[in-house]
């Protein structure tokens, strides 16, 4: 559902049989925008067992640094639980990102400074998204 506007994203629970994945988005609470999720969207996606990947670019988080990304992650955790929020990315070159794959320590340090536990950081960086990927034999 990435890049879906509010009307499309409004009813994921009623129309989906599998968990909904929004690979790179952000939240209205920290960055108002037509594609960012409201609290109602966050709850509905979590109700499917889904995951919201918080984007790493200015259009999603209203900033060009990892602090903006962590600010966008913070309100999702208490609404949906950490198992429904992940670090999203846009590493395809379409937009300028706050960091590249060689700098994953940057959001890790920001999450530590924001008070996330080691288990929650591991979930945001990898565990949450991996939960939705099919197991390979």
């Amino acid at each position: 559902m990435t890049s879906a506007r509010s009307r499309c994203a409004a009813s994921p629970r009623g129309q989906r049989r599998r968990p909904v994945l929004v690979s790179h988005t952000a939240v209205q609470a920290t960055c108002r925008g037509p594609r960012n999720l409201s609290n109602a969207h966050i709850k509905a996606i979590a109700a499917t067992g889904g995951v919201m990947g918080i984007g790493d670019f200015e259009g999603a988080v209203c900033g060009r640094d990892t602090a903006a990304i962590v600010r966008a992650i913070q309100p999702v955790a208490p609404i949906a639980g950490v198992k429904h929020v992940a670090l999203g990315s846009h590493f395809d070159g379409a937009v300028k990102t706050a960091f590249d794959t060689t700098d994953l320590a940057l959001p890790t340090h920001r999450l530590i400074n924001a008070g996330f536990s080691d288990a929650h950081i591991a979930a945001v960086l990898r565990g949450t998204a991996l939960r939705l990927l099919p197991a390979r034999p």
Side-chain angles (χ1 to χ4, degrees):
M1 282 187 29
T2 296
S3 299
R5 294 196 180 250
S6 295
R7 209 167 17 149
C8 177
S11 60
R13 191 174 57 189
Q15 298 177 359
R16 314 282 184 310
R17 292 187 194 138
R18 293 183 175 184
V20 171
L21 171 63
V22 185
S23 62
H24 52 283
T25 189
V27 295
Q28 293 286 339
T30 60
C31 183
R32 308 276 305 152
R35 295 180 180 165
N36 287 352
L37 303 172
S38 69
N39 289 354
H41 294 134
I42 293 166
K43 290 175 187 175
I45 291 165
T48 72
V51 172
M52 291 144 276
I54 300 301
D56 56 0
F57 53 98
E58 186 173 12
V61 296
C62 292
R64 289 195 175 197
D65 61 12
T66 54
I69 297 164
V70 172
R71 275 194 304 275
I73 290 170
Q74 286 176 304
V76 178
I79 294 169
V82 173
K83 72 178 190 174
H84 298 287
V85 63
L87 186 63
S89 73
H90 214 308
F91 293 140
D92 61 2
V95 297
K96 181 161 177 48
T97 59
F99 60 95
D100 66 22
T101 56
T102 64
D103 291 325
L104 281 174
L106 296 173
T108 303
H109 289 293
R110 291 280 187 183
L111 289 164
I112 291 167
N113 292 340
F116 282 77
S117 70
D118 289 349
H120 288 166
I121 293 168
V124 168
L125 295 180
R126 68 178 179 278
T128 298
L130 290 176
R131 178 174 57 83
L132 294 188
L133 298 175
R136 301 245 178 198

